[in-house]
Amino acid sequence: MKNAIEIKGLTKDYKDIRAVDNLDLDIREGELFALLGVNGAGKTTTIKMLCCITQPTSGDALLNGKSIASDAPDVKKIIAVSPQETAVAPNLSVKENLNLMCGVHGLDKQRTIQRTKQMIEEFKLDRIQNKKASKLSGGWQRRLSIAMALISEPQILFLDEPTLGLDVIARSELWDTIRELKGKMTIILTTHYMEEAEELSDRIGVMRDGHLLAVGTAAELKEKTGEEKFENAFIKLVKGGAV
Amino acid sequence: MRKMLSFANRTMKEILRDPLTMAFGLGFPVVLLLLLSIIQANIPVDMFEPSHLTPGITVFGLSFMTLFSAQLISKDRTSSLLTRLYTTPLKATDFILGYLLPVIPLCIAQAVICYILALILGLQFSVNIIWAILMILVPSFFYIALGLLCGSAMTEKQVGGICGALLTNLSAWLSGIWFDISMLGKGIKTFANALPFIHAVELERAMVLGDIKAALPHLWWVLGYGIALMAIAVFVFLRQMKKQ
């Protein structure tokens, strides 16, 4: 299978702190890859570099063959991000938020109408389409946030802590949504929830102090650490270093 | 262009849908004009003549536009929405124009409302009023640039203090709108003349009187401040964007 993302020696320094240290990683096309790690592990910095928000200090990554270091405008055409906090325009309605994303991606009027309608149907937003985003519950805002990321039909989707702060029902519903996206595009998910990574991902990468400690399926990581529960495997990996 | 206009459309909606915009941006200058006109009706004062007062009030109203745009930009800087938009094909110029352009029609609308009210209150109509409304674009440029600068460099809380309190007071007291600035002494007069506020008001007053010759020196002052401030604002905005 073709690689959607090829990361080579990606490094980011902030003054005297090395947030990401010489990261090498390949992510396959259509794969849902989860990046796990405690706070300060370097997950968000890695995502920021892959999304062209932050310039790497050294190294590069190719996203469907386009370099984040030298082809950032082209990379931005094929990616979409659903950031950690709910990234919606609060005073705009659900429909207007979706239209905004179509507009900033340069979709024409007809395509905007078509894609907005499609997203409203797929994410079951029809009842609330004219409601201001600020008036929605956390779960609905997060759902809108993901719909906004998908409206431009990205080849690679970054989901940064998509279910953070959601209740059990909202989280379960969002998991269903993410499951439906699997295979349609390459998805990179960062999360703090072990069960989320285990339940949704094809492969998991565990980070600590800017280093990638281990990569594999949840079953492989459990086997490597000799643990039955994935959470214990994660703890063992992070406490014990690379396996 | 389409990408920038989509972002500008969002900026316009965010500003217009904030109830404070209507209350302060349009309501406050109108209330001031009404109150001072009532005083003028009872105790005639030259400063409060509609032809003298209205140009000053229209310029004073622009300080609220600085506040609104600075607030939106500083708020956006802390939100994930801007992070998301940074990952889209929007370019730096799209962001800058998307923040600046929507404020221009609001500045014009504010001036139009003030002059319509002034006409109702007794201002004599002349074609000069149309020119004065068009000329409001020059002080608007300065106030919008100030909004971009404050929004890019300050937090939302700082914007409230600096633009909401300091700027509106500077714009009110050092512009000669409701009293002759020379009453405050030579030092203050020199200081006020070095700032653009008094020149913006005098520019508008000269336009209402149709005195282009008198308007020109003030035009250069305001335009000069506007261009310098815009250059600094764009630099700071781009720096913040890169930093983020």
Side-chain angles (χ1 to χ4, degrees), chain A residues 76 91 96 103 107 145, chain B residues 2 6 14 17 80 84 86:
Chain A
K76 287 179 178 184
N91 282 328
E96 286 169 338
L107 271 63
S145 188
Chain B
R2 184 175 167 75
S6 295
E14 289 279 3
R17 287 177 188 176
S80 292
R84 173 192 289 260
Y86 283 160

Side-chain angles (χ1 to χ4, degrees), chain A residues 20-44:
Chain A
V20 177
D21 192 6
N22 204 25
L23 184 69
D24 288 316
L25 175 67
D26 289 338
I27 297 170
R28 295 171 207 131
E29 200 175 66
E31 187 176 29
L32 197 156
F33 188 91
L35 265 182
L36 278 185
V38 292
N39 288 338
K43 308 181 301 281
T44 302

Side-chain angles (χ1 to χ4, degrees), chain B residues 156-221:
Chain B
E156 202 184 345
K157 203 175 168 187
Q158 288 168 331
V159 163
I162 301 287
C163 297
L166 187 65
L167 175 69
T168 47
N169 273 296
L170 276 176
S171 193
W173 302 113
L174 296 179
S175 57
I177 298 172
W178 17 68
F179 60 86
D180 187 350
I181 206 82
S182 50
M183 284 164 63
L184 297 175
K186 205 179 168 188
I188 299 279
K189 192 183 173 186
T190 309
F191 178 61
N193 275 323
L195 295 173
F197 309 109
I198 198 163
H199 298 288
V201 172
E202 290 303 326
L203 169 68
E204 279 297 297
R205 280 179 181 155
M207 291 309 292
V208 168
L209 296 174
D211 190 347
I212 303 290
K213 204 177 162 191
L216 280 177
H218 301 295
L219 174 68
W220 304 134
W221 267 99

